[in-house]
Amino acid sequence: MAPEKNMRSLQDELLPSTPGKFKLEQRSSHHRQLYRCFSSTSTMFLWALFLIALTASYLSFHSFIDTGNRYLAVSWGGIQWERQVRNSAKTHRSGGMSVLVTGAGGFVGTHVSLALKKRGDGVVGIDNFNNYYDPSLKKARKALLQSQGVFVVEGDINDSHLLAKLFDVVAFTHVMHLAAQAGVRYAMENPNSYVHSNIAGLVTLLEACKTANPQPAVVWASSSSVYGLNEKVPFSESDQTDQPASLYAATKKAGEEITHTYNHIYGLSITGLRFFTVYGPWGRPDMAYFSFTRNIIQGKPITVYRGKNQVDLARDFTYIDDIVKGCVGSLDTAGKSTGSGGKKRGPAPYRIFNLGNTSPVTVPALVSVLEKHLKVKAKRNVIDMPGNGDVPFTHANISHARTELGYKPTTDLETGLKKFVKWYLSYYGYNHHAKPVNN
């Protein structure tokens, strides 16, 4: 309204109603016109500034509110957050450990965290809950952990500030590093995710560990994939691992070299675990046994690969409970790190162990066991194995782990798959005949 009124006033001054007066008052009129013109323009300018300031204040306020909401929703830190971390890290047994478990929302991470908490160790988890596979399964695992008193921080291991804060709040005695980008075939679609998690993330974590005081002992998940194209069986820790068959394997092999470097330079106690095809309840949906189960139930065909000369692929399938025993045994026997403030004060342990079942089973035999427990016949589509990074067989020599860790797997594939199928049918709402349960 104010700008329109000012414009009308300006028009009235420039167009007088009496032409005779115009000549007589021309000079004085010009002065008045000029003054009012500047006055009117100044008023408009002030109004514009006011509106701009008001708009900016409004937008800033809402931006502050939105930022605050996002901060409250996804951020870490603060008194309440620190209290949750400390409570979760408290030990409840004599000589108990305080363990930071990375990848706690993952398959192995969840089981290891539960086992440690159950026996009285302090456990704090961290996971970024990415969408490599269904995040709802990871969130369900998180809920399971929370029900048992394990606090899981939602964050990325590449966040050096978050890791520094965690080590500032808790003097962790051990780190169980299980966070990683898993899967052999997915590397052909998203190679950068493997470098981000398995190499950059590992280095960021080791940097945090080396500067921590005291330094924690580090146990981390390597992989049987590092054996790559090795044809000597069973695979032993002393075998050469310089022929990776996939980018995933290459990043895990790189991880072994990187951890050795931090052990040598900074005195970090390092234990690397080469897992062999882990399966069981709460498993990963991208694994063959999991996807086979889903497709068999739904009446969809499954793809079964075979190797050269039509030889069946074989895997050293290892049940999750046995893997957990190996992880916990590694934590229990890990020697102390010898550095302080990033400076090495003496040699520290560097170990690598195979954790497998040492009884390879062919993939067709696996399918037959699933058919038995599901009471449904699979529609098999057998094709030659493509060049996607998979290897024809895996077979673990576990004598080193047996001697040093007391590791002894006790679950055969028949028993393990029976437990997995029972969990699967319950979790996804099927009855024992693999029919959906109506809710």
Side-chain angles (χ1 to χ4, degrees), residues 184 225-229 242-250 387-392:
V184 170
S225 295
V226 300
Y227 291 108
L229 302 178
D242 55 1
Q243 298 183 77
S246 66
L247 178 61
Y248 169 69
N388 57 9
D390 271 329
V391 294

Side-chain angles (χ1 to χ4, degrees), residues 362-433:
T362 66
V363 175
L366 165 79
V367 175
S368 296
V369 175
L370 287 174
E371 290 175 325
K372 175 183 176 182
H373 293 308
L374 292 170
K375 300 179 175 62
V376 180
K377 193 71 174 176
K379 299 175 182 177
R380 306 187 191 200
N381 182 21
V382 182
I383 63 174
D384 291 334
M385 182 176 67
N388 57 9
D390 271 329
V391 294
F393 59 86
T394 60
H395 184 184
N397 179 342
I398 59 172
S399 58
H400 186 40
R402 183 183 291 116
T403 300
E404 298 296 323
L405 308 178
Y407 175 71
K408 185 179 180 181
T410 58
T411 308
D412 60 21
L413 188 65
E414 175 85 24
T415 304
L417 284 180
K418 182 178 181 179
K419 293 180 180 180
F420 166 73
V421 167
K422 181 180 179 181
W423 168 83
Y424 185 97
L425 297 179
S426 174
Y427 180 80
Y428 288 101
Y430 292 89
N431 62 26
H432 69 286
H433 292 297

Side-chain angles (χ1 to χ4, degrees), residues 240-261:
Q240 283 190 306
T241 53
D242 55 1
Q243 298 183 77
S246 66
L247 178 61
Y248 169 69
T251 60
K252 286 299 186 178
K253 174 60 177 176
E256 293 186 352
E257 305 302 328
I258 290 168
T259 53
H260 185 274
T261 301

Side-chain angles (χ1 to χ4, degrees), residues 224-239:
S224 61
S225 295
V226 300
Y227 291 108
L229 302 178
N230 181 27
E231 295 183 353
K232 171 186 168 293
V233 291
F235 300 157
S236 299
E237 292 88 346
S238 58
D239 292 345

